[in-house]
């Protein structure tokens, strides 16, 4: 191997995720993560080893690179794997091609034109239905027939490491007769994964479940920040608005669908049977272990949730087929959030709302404090990886610190 890769690294030779980084003397550019390093693709391109216009690696986003199509992007990934494995390859004895991740700043990997968030975990939808509506009829009648979603806000998507401000808004306190305005008292995270589209679809065109994987470039970890008190007051009848669009955080490295191939698993049985345009063949879920930790200000991290992407009731190909069935078009770089990923066990719930059950079961922290929701000064960290037969492919992390609301 050309470069040392620590055992258990998320960024193993099997991964090769794409991102945008900069350092003190390198402007934002494309790279791949390998072990604790980044391979500078703009620098590799200068070796004249690629047969396409490598100006795409000098851009501040990956959209143009992704737009070259999977035939090319996939070959770049497998070429890099081969070169890294071969001590005599073009990458040999060229330390200037590698940058330590610790010395680099990561940026949003793509320009995200549009962002949609789904609601595809049956456990999450059931938990929320029980809390907000009716425990006897937790799932609404449409839920098992439609991958429910809403159009989110792309402008406020940020990359791991950027802090957020506690949002302010309008809420209706329990028992009050008129709303109040102020910082949210119920700031929450949502543990999600997001897929980034890699191919445009035309307005009026529908992408089938069989074609959908062609349109998915790769995945990131996604924290869909939510203000539950604002959400509760505003969401009827059109769904989330200001409770969600103040910030959403993503991990910086896009892990390709090809890299996730070993972790394919079958999803849960869908009963009743879905309409033909939502039916699909094969294993379309992915076994990706997920966890969430909270780092209180000045204290150590505590894991509060362990979940898995494989629990999703609706999968990505169904989400994309549904999203385009009416002819809605997709552009390269669009982002679709999975919806909060909760499992069956109460430590696998993907939000504080569920973990602390609307504040009725506060979580005990190691520093003696309690959490019903997220406090100022807390950093929320999400991680995810697949592991099978000695192959590990991970996402790194999405980490976001919460700062007090603006006065
Ligand atoms: Mn969400």
């Amino acid at each position: 191997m050309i470069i040392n890769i620590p055992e258990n690294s998320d960024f193993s030779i099997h991964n090769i995720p794409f991102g945008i980084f900069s350092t003190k003397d390198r402007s934002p550019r494309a790279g791949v993560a390998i072990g604790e390093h980044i391979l500078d693709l703009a620098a590799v391109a200068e070796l004249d080893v690629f047969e396409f216009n490598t100006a795409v690696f000098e851009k501040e986003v990956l959209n143009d690179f992704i737009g070259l199509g999977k035939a090319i992007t996939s070959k770049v990934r497998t070429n890099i794997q081969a070169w890294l494995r071969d001590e005599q390859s073009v990458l040999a004895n060229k330390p200037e091609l590698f940058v330590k991740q610790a010395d680099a700043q990561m940026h949003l990997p793509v320009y995200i034109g549009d962002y949609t968030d789904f609601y595809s975990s049956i456990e999450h939808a059931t938990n929320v239905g029980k809390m907000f509506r009716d425990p006897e009829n937790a799932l609404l009648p449409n839920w098992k027939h439609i991958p429910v979603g809403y159009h989110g806000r792309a402008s406020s998507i940020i990359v791991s490491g950027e802090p957020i401000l506690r949002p302010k808004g309008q809420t209706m306190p329990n028992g009050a007769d008129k709303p109040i305005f102020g910082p949210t008292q119920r700031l929450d995270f949502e543990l999600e994964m997001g897929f980034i589209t890699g191919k445009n679809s035309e307005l009026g065109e529908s992408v089938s479940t069989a074609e959908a994987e062609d349109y998915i470039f790769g995945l990131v970890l996604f924290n869909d920040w939510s203000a539950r008190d604002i959400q509760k007051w505003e969401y009827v009848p059109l769904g989330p608005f200001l409770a969600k669009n103040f910030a959403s955080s993503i991990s910086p490295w896009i892990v390709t669908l090809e890299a996730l191939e070993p972790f394919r698993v079958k999803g849960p049985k869908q009963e009743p049977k879905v309409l033909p345009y939502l039916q699909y063949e094969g294993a379309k879920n992915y076994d990706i272990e997920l966890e969430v930790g909270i780092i209180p200000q000045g204290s150590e991290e505590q894991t509060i949730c362990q979940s898995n992407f494989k629990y999703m009731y609706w999968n990505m190909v169904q989400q994309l087929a549904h999203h385009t069935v009416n002819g809605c078009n997709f552009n390269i770089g669009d982002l679709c959030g999975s919806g909060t990923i909760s499992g069956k066990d109460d430590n696998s719930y993907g939000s504080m709302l569920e973990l602390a059950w609307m504040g009725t079961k506060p979580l005990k922290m190691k520093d003696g404090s309690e959490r019903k929701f997220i406090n100022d000064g807390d950093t929320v960290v999400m991680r995810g990886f697949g592991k099978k037969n000695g192959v590990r492919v991970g996402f790194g992390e999405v980490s976001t610190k919460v700062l007090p609301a603006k006065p």
Side-chain angles (χ1 to χ4, degrees):
M1 203 71 74
I2 295 275
I3 192 127
N4 175 53
I5 304 167
E7 216 182 303
N8 251 346
S9 173
D10 276 356
F11 307 122
S12 68
I13 189 75
H14 308 285
N15 192 346
I16 316 293
F18 295 90
I20 297 287
F21 75 99
S22 64
T23 63
K24 258 190 263 152
D25 46 13
R26 297 183 206 222
S27 56
R29 60 187 59 200
V32 298
I34 182 76
E36 290 168 346
H37 290 81
I38 298 169
L39 177 61
D40 180 339
L41 290 175
V44 175
E46 286 174 23
L47 305 174
D48 223 13
V49 289
F50 296 119
E51 291 163 352
F52 52 87
N53 183 350
T54 54
V56 293
F57 292 139
E58 290 159 44
K59 301 279 174 72
E60 293 189 357
V61 285
L62 292 167
N63 297 58
D64 289 350
F65 168 64
I66 294 170
L68 295 173
K70 283 203 191 206
I72 291 178
T73 59
S74 179
K75 188 149 180 265
V76 167
R77 178 172 164 271
T78 52
N79 279 348
I80 290 169
Q81 286 173 323
W83 294 332
L84 286 169
R85 283 188 164 118
D86 174 5
E87 312 251 350
Q88 315 293 321
S89 79
V90 286
L91 305 185
N93 306 314
K94 296 191 178 70
E96 68 279 8
L97 299 176
F98 295 91
V99 168
K100 276 195 178 140
Q101 285 176 30
D103 296 336
Q105 190 193 338
M106 297 306 298
H107 303 266
L108 273 182
V110 281
Y111 169 74
I112 302 167
D114 278 301
Y115 147 56
T116 295
D117 196 30
F118 285 94
Y119 190 55
S120 291
S121 152
I122 196 165
E123 289 83 4
H124 174 69
T126 303
N127 287 340
V128 172
K130 279 184 194 169
M131 282 185 271
F132 276 62
R133 287 186 306 271
D134 175 6
E136 299 305 312
N137 297 288
L139 282 185
L140 287 168
N142 62 0
W143 200 89
K144 286 186 169 178
H145 298 280
I146 291 176
V148 171
Y150 66 94
H151 285 123
R153 183 84 187 162
S155 65
S156 52
I157 297 175
I158 56 174
V159 74
S160 178
E162 268 189 62
I164 64 164
L165 294 169
R166 177 173 297 271
K168 292 181 284 194
Q170 195 182 125
T171 60
M172 178 65 107
N174 281 339
D177 60 359
K178 55 181 187 299
I180 59 168
F181 178 81
T184 177
Q185 302 300 303
R186 296 190 156 197
L187 181 62
D188 200 355
F189 61 82
E190 290 189 340
L191 168 63
E192 304 193 20
M193 302 211 66
F195 70 80
I196 288 165
T197 48
K199 190 171 163 183
N200 295 337
S201 69
E202 297 295 321
L203 185 61
E205 177 191 353
S206 301
V207 175
S208 69
T209 56
E211 298 161 327
E213 283 177 0
D214 261 0
Y215 288 79
I216 299 173
F217 177 71
L219 276 71
V220 290
L221 299 168
F222 185 68
N223 181 351
D224 179 22
W225 289 100
S226 302
R228 300 301 181 191
D229 42 4
I230 297 172
Q231 183 179 1
K232 192 179 177 197
W233 175 229
E234 75 171 5
Y235 89 103
V236 187
L238 287 187
F241 184 30
L242 304 182
K244 297 273 193 175
N245 67 8
F246 57 93
S248 320
S249 314
I250 66 171
S251 55
W253 294 107
I254 307 176
V255 176
T256 62
L257 265 199
E258 292 93 321
L260 296 173
E261 198 58 40
F263 313 107
R264 275 182 191 273
V265 287
K266 282 210 153 44
K269 188 173 166 54
Q270 296 183 326
E271 192 62 56
K273 201 168 174 186
V274 298
L275 284 169
Y277 81 92
L278 290 168
Q279 291 167 14
Y280 65 95
E281 305 268 326
K284 301 295 181 191
N285 279 40
Y286 292 85
D287 183 355
I288 297 169
E289 293 182 38
L290 300 165
E291 65 168 39
V292 183
I294 295 179
I295 310 171
Q297 180 95 44
S299 183
E300 57 182 304
E301 181 175 339
Q302 182 163 342
T303 303
I304 55 162
C305 159
Q306 285 179 308
S307 189
N308 196 305
F309 191 42
K310 71 182 176 187
Y311 300 145
M312 300 311 287
Y313 188 87
W314 296 102
N315 60 50
M316 295 183 284
V317 305
Q318 291 180 307
Q319 290 170 337
L320 194 54
H322 183 66
H323 206 314
T324 58
V325 76
N326 66 345
C328 175
N329 52 327
F330 264 81
N331 291 305
I332 292 164
D334 287 354
L335 177 72
C336 283
S338 58
T340 307
I341 305 166
S342 294
K344 287 194 169 59
D345 304 331
D346 54 11
N347 70 344
S348 68
Y349 297 162
S351 66
M352 286 300 285
L353 180 71
E354 297 162 88
L355 288 163
W357 208 257
M358 268 218 301
T360 60
K361 297 178 186 170
L363 301 187
K364 291 252 184 297
M365 304 298 287
K366 287 179 199 161
D367 64 2
S369 62
E370 285 188 341
R371 286 294 178 287
K372 294 177 178 173
F373 291 94
I374 300 301
N375 288 3
D376 288 347
D378 285 352
T379 300
V380 175
V381 187
M382 297 175 177
R383 299 189 186 83
F385 65 89
K387 196 170 183 181
K388 193 180 171 189
N389 302 332
V391 171
R392 180 175 167 122
V393 170
F395 288 79
E397 62 179 37
V398 54
S399 167
T400 312
K401 184 169 183 174
V402 175
L403 303 178
K406 267 191 185 164

